[in-house]
DNA sequence: TCAGTTATAGAACACTGTGCAATTGAAAGA
DNA sequence: TCTTTCAATTGCACAGTGTTCTATAACTGA
């Protein structure tokens, strides 16, 4: 009652007296760290608040809006890092390769955040302007215009970013550990009559086939498949390029 | 007390007396219908139970396990429909085209289920054997073996299914309506110095650029971009095919 | 001095997925 | 026929969740 600074039951101050200098940056930092560590599935606003030593509402106040908005902020953090302006004098093929390889690298460093990035890229793509700019310019330099430019752009973003999103999609929770056994059981169950080829081929050498496997809960690398896809697309775009006009 | 068949407070019977003949099939039916109607975000076990006129636990009993398992059942429903065995005498290029176009069609009929399918395809891909078998056989016929087969397979599944997953990713909840305005605002905010090309090009003709837009909360079609991507991949695979051996 | 703003906490609301225990008719075994 | 087991269902409760509304108190500017 006579205290100069009132305190709440658990001893924590309220109001501006309690200010800990929380910032959007720090929130996003810790959020990413938490997702990296425990996975997107286990991430919650309350847990984040706990880790920050702060009440949940404080986060809402700084981020403004909803959990989804926080996800947007997280995604923006990545998009910024993806591509610093690339030298325009390099061939457009090289520029495309660099951009998408660096996108994959950025995602691969924070695999648990991947699903979030995919969703945000779709719904909030305009925010990812570095990526958009780089790809559009490269395709323009390749001679693509109008609807052909649109389709080429979509094919690249959808195909490559889609690949990455799937590549780093999380294992279904607890099953990560028993994955190897699960895989073996599934393969053994394959109906040899209906799926003769899969039955014959899968068990032998397909231990790195896409979409099928984790190792000890960690992702195996599909880097070579990504490279292959990237090459395929860039070669295809070269072959179909309406005209070669390096200086538009 | 003296009732032959006891009743619970709200008048509903318990135990086998109350059996409504619930089946996994009906659960999955109604679940898909609900997701179609209200979106994946608004889907919950309790809501599903309400729609089925049944207690939530009853669903758990039939599906066994968790919500994630139910999602698995839902995904399986789609995978089954994707590709009935294709005539082996058609060229492998045609077969690939058919398979992936039919995959996109199946997903497009239930756009709200799309995110779920993407995740399940990754974590539970072995279940989707019709798709796997068709793609593997086609690539084998094209002459791909070993690690080249693996990379080609991964590139196709990752690129095309990834595209579809992104294509049908949901708009961020309530923002679907104000999307057009949001898009316009974002475009207007583009920094012309840092992103000159995007700034110049985007507002004009990019109203169907991937990743950027809905119309009245419904998805616009990216079909032509998907076709383009499909063509690019198949042409690329043809050009690189180790050898042409139609009859292995 | 005094209202307004900024940055914090607390409590509460309406949910969620899911586990445990009870209930019942029917089927199976003795 | 009597008893045990099983199949299919409900109710209740637990431990959360995102989010909103309200209180608090120091700073800020007039």
């Amino acid at each position: 009652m006579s205290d100069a600074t009132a305190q709440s039951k658990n001893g924590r101050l309220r109001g501006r007296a309690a200010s800990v200098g929380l910032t959007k940056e720090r929130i996003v930092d810790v959020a990413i760290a938490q997702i990296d560590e425990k996975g997107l599935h286990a991430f919650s606003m309350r847990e984040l608040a706990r880790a920050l030593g702060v009440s949940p509402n404080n986060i809402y106040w700084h981020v403004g809006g909803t959990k989804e908005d926080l996800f947007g902020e997280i995604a923006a953090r990545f998009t910024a890092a993806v591509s610093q302006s690339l030298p325009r004098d390099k061939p457009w093929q090289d520029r495309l390769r660099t951009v998408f390889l660096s996108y994959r690298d950025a995602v691969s460093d924070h695999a648990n955040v991947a699903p979030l990035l995919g969703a945000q890229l779709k719904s909030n793509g305009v925010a990812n302007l570095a990526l958009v700019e780089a790809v559009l310019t490269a395709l323009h330099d390749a001679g693509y215009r109008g609807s052909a430019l649109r389709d080429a752009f979509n094919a690249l973003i959808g195909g490559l970013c889609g690949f990455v999103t799937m590549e780093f999609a999380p294992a279904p929770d607890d099953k990560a550990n028993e994955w190897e056994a699960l895989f073996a059981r599934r393969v053994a169950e394959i109906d040899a009559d209906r799926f003769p080829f899969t039955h014959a081929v899968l068990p032998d050498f397909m231990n790195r086939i896409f979409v099928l496997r984790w190792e000890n809960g960690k992702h195996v690398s599909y880097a070579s498949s990504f490279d292959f896809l990237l090459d395929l697309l860039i070669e295809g775009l070269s072959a179909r390029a309406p005209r070669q006009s390096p200086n538009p």
Side-chain angles (χ1 to χ4, degrees), chain A residues 172 175-189:
Chain A
K175 286 179 186 143
N177 294 330
E178 32 165 329
W179 187 258
E180 209 131 359
L182 192 67
F183 175 80
R185 201 171 346 122
R186 287 266 168 73
V187 167
E189 281 169 0

Side-chain angles (χ1 to χ4, degrees), chain A residues 28 164 173 199:
Chain A
V28 173
V164 171
D173 275 4
H199 181 81

Side-chain angles (χ1 to χ4, degrees), chain A residues 120-166:
Chain A
Q120 288 290 333
L121 187 59
K122 168 68 190 287
S123 67
N124 212 5
V126 198
N128 198 334
L129 285 176
L131 187 64
V132 172
E133 175 83 5
V135 174
L136 280 179
T137 336
L139 288 173
H140 184 92
D141 288 356
Y144 285 89
R145 303 290 136 87
S147 69
L149 174 51
R150 179 242 293 158
D151 284 337
F153 179 87
N154 291 347
L156 281 174
I157 300 277
L160 290 167
C161 297
F163 183 105
V164 171
T165 302
M166 287 196 74

